[in-house]
């Protein structure tokens, strides 16, 4: 069973423990945590108002089901659910099992002036799937979980047709049985879905070899209020603008994706993950850039900065092992300014050996030293665990959230420092300290993503903690815009980033997206209030 107010499954194999010493170290850095009282599920169910939806056999009005679909997984979502006041509940939830069901729901919505929210895994961190408070229309959430089958697998063309509601584990189970993989592993993989990845332009941890969802999405079927949109899967095309690009990142505003034709790969013969330490950030960054620009056949590169390296080592190892590691590194001249790069090699034995050889030469040229403690494999083993940590920190009275962007290499360093400094200082006027650290999570020839994590103490109330979060979020987002970065490299726009979108798309660009949404959804019934800024706010 999924937790109703936080990340994950109650019996997940990824659930983690973190406590005692780790929390004490945190308190030493920013002060003791301030836990806030949490509402129970029964209390929240009691608050669910009567549904405004007319009866329909596909619509479930059950109060608990409505609570469980009220919010996503952003920090404000976590707070809202724990406080017992999600703000707004959907009036009902439908679980379609076929494209006919989806078309029926679109018709029902049109006939009754209903707002529809397409729902994948509900793992959005930017308010994508939250009903708008005060929407005069009844709201129906359309949960795609029952459309999760492997419909076809063309092994010759390496093309799979999969129901859009399939989650990461379901997709891999279906494909791996046949000897294939999609290779899309966002950190939210345990709960997020194929349709959600396409609709929010997701990026997986191994996108360096498998590609982002844009490269994996070959075509598919989208049911829209204006009709069915079939996008044929062709290997490549010069026949005008690409319709796939209109659907990618559409965030539920143009239609409901029912089937995805995805480019899959045979399971790799070999895969391994490794860690290298560098004497400083500049050496690590030069290596990451060089590896990306040389098109070295790695499946991932993640470069943690000095503070993140220290935090990862502190939380992942006991004091004795850390002392041994530090001693070993200092023999190579790597001291307190050390940074850590994690990389993966995936493919045939021959490809992996070649990539490892090329990478070793590159990092050695920059003073990098390979770790001998299997830290890379430990990272791989725990790669889906981190989301469980947030609840542990929350229960101890600490808030944790992330921000991410992508900029050109020429700006990476400056932007990372600017974003970190803005976040670190955001609560200084309240005398509150922050922990802020970053890593480069996805590297490209042109530039890199920057993924920044920050922790602060909860305030004395939910409202005050939310206000603190707003200050920090705005400080970071303004720096991203100031550096000309994208407001999101992988999390999307949703409700939380939409006011920053015009800075990236321009007036004409926003008008083009708005017109496209209107073409598919003339009455504005699909996921209102997301992606696009309010017209008057432009
Ligand atoms: C702990 C954590 C880690 C994360 N790590 C990553 C990461 O590594 N990489 C990454 O890219 N993202 C990450 N995310 C963000 C999130 O998982 C992604 O945005 C993901 O793509 C959302 O998928 P979902 O199925 O949960 O979609 P939802 O959250 O349910 O929906 C997201 C948006 O897509 C729309 N949508 C969903 N399904 C459909 C459909 N079938 N048809 C039309 N529209 C649809 C919704 O209306 C909404 O606008 C993370 C989130 C969390 C909480």
């Amino acid at each position: 069973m999924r937790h109703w107010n936080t990340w994950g499954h109650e019996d997940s194999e990824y659930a983690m423990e973190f406590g005692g010493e780790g929390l004490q170290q945190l308190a030493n850095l920013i002060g003791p945590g301030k836990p806030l009282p949490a509402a129970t599920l029964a209390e929240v169910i009691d608050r669910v108002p009567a549904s405004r939806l007319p009866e329909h056999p596909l619509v479930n009005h059950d109060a608990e089901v409505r609570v469980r679909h009220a919010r996503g997984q952003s920090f404000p979502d976590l707070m809202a659910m724990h406080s017992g006041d999600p703000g707004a509940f959907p009036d009902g939830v439908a679980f379609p099992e076929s494209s006919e069901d989806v078309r029926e729901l679109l018709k029902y919505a049109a006939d009754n002036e209903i707002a529809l929210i397409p729902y994948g895994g509900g793992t959005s961190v930017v308010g994508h799937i939250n009903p708008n408070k005060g929407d005069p229309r009844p709201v129906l959430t359309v949960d795609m979980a029952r459309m999760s089958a492997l419909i076809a697998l063309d092994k010759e063309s390496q093309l799979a047709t999969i129901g859009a509601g399939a989650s990461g584990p379901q997709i891999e189970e279906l494909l791996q049985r046949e000897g294939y993989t999609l290779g899309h592993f966002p950190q939210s993989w345990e709960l997020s879905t194929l349709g959600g990845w396409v609709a929010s332009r997701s990026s997986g941890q191994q996108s360096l070899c498998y590609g982002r969802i844009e490269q994996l999405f070959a075509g598919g079927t989208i049911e829209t209020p204006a009709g069915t949109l079939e996008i044929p899967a062709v290997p490549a095309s010069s026949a005008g603008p690409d319709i796939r690009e209109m659907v990618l990142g559409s965030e539920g505003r143009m239609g409901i994706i029912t089937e995805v034709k995805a480019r899959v790969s045979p399971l790799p013969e070999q895969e391994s993950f490794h860690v290298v330490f560098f004497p400083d950030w500049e050496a690590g960054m030069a290596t990451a850039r060089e590896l990306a620009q040389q098109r070295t056949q790695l499946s991932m590169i993640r470069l943690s900065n000095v503070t993140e390296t220290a935090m990862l080592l502190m939380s992942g190892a006991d004091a004795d092992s850390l002392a041994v590691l530090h001693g070993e590194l200092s023999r190579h001249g790597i001291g307190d300014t050390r940074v850590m790069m994690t990389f993966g090699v995936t493919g045939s034995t021959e490809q992996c050996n070649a990539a490892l050889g090329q990478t070793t030469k590159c990092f050695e040229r920059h003073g990098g030293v390979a770790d001998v403690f299997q830290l890379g494999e430990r990272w791989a083993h725990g790669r889906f665990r981190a989301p469980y940590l947030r609840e542990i920190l929350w229960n101890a009275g600490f808030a944790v959230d992330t921000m991410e962007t992508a900029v050109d290499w020429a700006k990476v360093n400056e932007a990372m420092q600017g974003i970190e400094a803005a976040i670190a200082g955001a609560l200084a006027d309240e005398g509150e300290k922050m922990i802020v650290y970053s890593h480069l999570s996805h590297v490209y020839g042109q530039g890199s993503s920057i993924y920044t994590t920050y922790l602060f103490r909860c305030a004395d109330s939910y409202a005050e903690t939310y206000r603190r979060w707003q200050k920090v979020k705005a400080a970071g987002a303004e720096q991203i815009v100031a550096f000309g970065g994208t407001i999101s490299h992988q999390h999307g726009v949703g409700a939380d980033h939409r006011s920053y979108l015009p800075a990236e798309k321009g007036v004409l660009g926003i008008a083009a997206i708005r017109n496209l949404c209107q073409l598919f959804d003339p009455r504005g019934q699909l996921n209102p209030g997301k992606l696009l800024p309010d017209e008057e706010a432009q």
Side-chain angles (χ1 to χ4, degrees):
M1 172 73 103
R2 226 175 125 165
H3 288 291
W4 68 276
N5 61 355
T6 191
W7 179 261
H9 289 286
E10 286 166 15
D11 57 354
S12 173
E13 61 180 295
Y14 303 115
M16 71 180 291
E17 284 176 17
F18 177 86
E21 212 181 309
L23 290 175
Q24 188 51 52
Q25 280 171 340
L26 212 54
N28 294 344
L29 292 169
I30 57 175
K34 293 187 178 178
L36 289 167
T40 64
L41 176 58
E43 284 165 352
V44 185
I45 288 174
D46 271 352
R47 293 191 179 169
V48 178
S51 171
R52 297 170 291 174
L53 285 169
E55 287 297 326
H56 189 286
L58 287 173
V59 176
N60 184 331
H61 301 267
D62 179 76
E64 181 172 338
V65 174
R66 290 168 60 195
V67 170
R68 287 178 178 274
H69 288 81
R71 301 289 289 235
Q73 292 290 330
S74 69
F75 179 69
D77 293 338
L78 173 99
M79 266 199 307
M81 293 306 275
H82 281 74
S83 76
D85 180 11
F89 299 90
D91 290 274
V93 183
F95 298 88
E97 296 184 8
S98 63
S99 289
E100 293 74 50
D101 284 355
V102 173
R103 284 196 293 273
E104 170 60 28
L105 290 167
L106 288 169
K107 183 174 176 315
Y108 164 75
D111 291 346
N112 296 285
E113 273 306 312
I114 292 165
L116 282 190
I117 302 181
Y119 184 104
T123 68
S124 161
V125 282
V126 288
H128 276 126
I129 52 85
N130 305 349
N132 300 323
K133 202 173 177 178
D135 195 328
R137 293 170 292 189
V139 178
L140 175 65
T141 293
V142 181
D143 184 327
M144 297 299 288
R146 293 188 190 157
M147 294 185 68
S148 58
L150 175 59
I151 298 156
L153 176 61
D154 174 350
K155 293 187 178 177
E156 199 176 351
S157 312
Q158 300 189 346
L159 206 57
T161 308
I162 306 172
S167 68
Q170 285 173 327
I171 294 167
E172 287 304 318
E173 202 200 319
L174 291 165
L175 291 176
Q176 290 189 14
R177 240 188 254 157
E178 303 288 334
Y180 287 81
T181 177
L182 180 63
H184 192 73
F185 301 106
Q187 197 187 45
S188 57
W189 177 79
E190 193 185 357
L191 300 177
S192 55
T193 66
L194 186 52
W197 297 337
V198 171
S200 61
R201 297 188 86 101
S202 161
S203 188
Q205 288 165 342
Q206 285 166 267
S207 64
L208 199 52
C209 85
Y210 291 111
R212 290 165 60 92
I213 201 69
E214 294 98 294
Q215 282 94 47
L216 300 173
F217 177 52
T221 308
I222 298 95
E223 298 295 343
T224 85
T228 303
L229 180 66
E230 292 282 1
I231 308 178
V234 287
S237 164
S238 72
D242 192 340
I243 306 289
R244 288 174 312 160
E245 283 293 337
M246 300 178 187
V247 173
L248 283 158
S250 56
E251 303 198 349
R253 297 241 17 188
M254 293 180 195
I256 301 184
I257 305 161
T258 53
E259 285 179 15
V260 172
K261 291 185 193 304
R263 297 183 174 124
V264 297
S265 307
L267 279 170
E269 210 173 287
Q270 199 177 308
E271 179 158 85
S272 58
F273 297 92
H274 309 262
V275 160
V276 181
F277 288 95
F278 292 91
D280 54 40
W281 172 250
E282 283 68 27
M285 199 173 68
T287 308
R289 178 165 54 81
E290 216 170 290
L291 289 169
Q293 292 178 340
Q294 285 172 349
R295 297 191 168 85
T296 312
Q297 300 270 295
L298 297 175
S299 55
M300 66 159 286
I301 295 177
R302 170 186 170 137
L303 180 68
S304 300
N305 71 3
V306 176
T307 310
E308 182 172 290
T309 299
M311 295 297 289
L312 287 175
L313 292 177
M314 191 174 85
S315 61
D318 58 80
D320 291 346
S321 319
L322 259 188
V324 175
L325 176 68
H326 288 167
E328 182 64 22
L329 291 176
S330 62
R331 280 200 312 110
H332 290 91
I334 298 182
D336 288 347
T337 55
R338 66 184 80 86
V339 300
M340 175 175 160
M341 175 190 283
T342 309
F343 67 91
V345 286
T346 301
S348 68
T349 307
E350 208 180 330
Q351 283 168 333
C352 290
N353 289 342
L356 263 177
Q358 206 180 340
T359 306
T360 306
K361 269 194 204 147
C362 180
F363 72 65
E364 285 182 350
R365 255 199 325 275
H366 291 282
V369 172
D371 134 79
V372 288
F373 294 93
Q374 306 286 313
L375 292 177
E377 290 305 323
R378 276 210 244 166
W379 171 85
H381 184 67
R383 65 200 282 194
F384 304 122
R385 289 216 153 131
Y388 285 89
L389 183 57
R390 194 175 58 171
E391 180 68 8
I392 298 171
L393 295 173
W394 171 260
N395 288 333
F398 297 105
V400 58
D401 200 10
T402 60
M403 289 203 78
E404 37 89 49
T405 182
V407 293
D408 294 349
W409 281 114
K411 289 187 195 164
V412 167
N413 203 18
E414 214 188 334
M416 182 185 77
Q417 287 178 18
I419 295 163
E420 283 200 357
I423 291 175
L427 301 179
D429 60 339
E430 301 179 34
E432 286 298 320
K433 292 186 188 152
M434 310 271 304
I435 297 174
V436 191
Y437 50 86
S438 305
H439 66 262
L440 310 186
S441 65
H442 298 78
V443 292
Y444 306 91
Q446 181 187 338
S448 173
S449 70
I450 302 171
Y451 191 97
T452 301
T453 302
Y454 54 90
L455 289 97
F456 59 95
R457 293 195 305 161
C458 294
D460 293 331
S461 67
Y462 279 97
E464 277 300 294
T465 306
Y466 180 63
R467 191 193 48 74
R468 277 187 186 172
W469 174 83
Q470 279 181 309
K471 267 169 90 173
V472 180
K473 175 86 177 173
E478 278 157 22
Q479 281 298 300
I480 287 175
V481 172
F483 279 101
T486 171
I487 195 58
S488 178
H489 166 267
Q490 61 195 59
H491 289 162
V493 180
D496 296 349
H497 289 157
R498 67 194 186 117
S499 61
Y500 300 100
L501 202 60
E504 188 167 331
K505 306 290 182 196
V507 173
L508 207 49
I510 293 285
I513 302 170
R514 200 182 291 286
N515 284 349
L516 210 49
C517 292
Q518 269 161 9
L519 174 77
F520 292 114
D521 176 27
R523 292 153 76 163
Q525 289 178 290
L526 286 171
N527 215 6
K530 315 296 158 49
L531 179 65
L532 288 160
D534 286 334
E535 265 176 280
E536 58 277 15
Q538 261 179 259

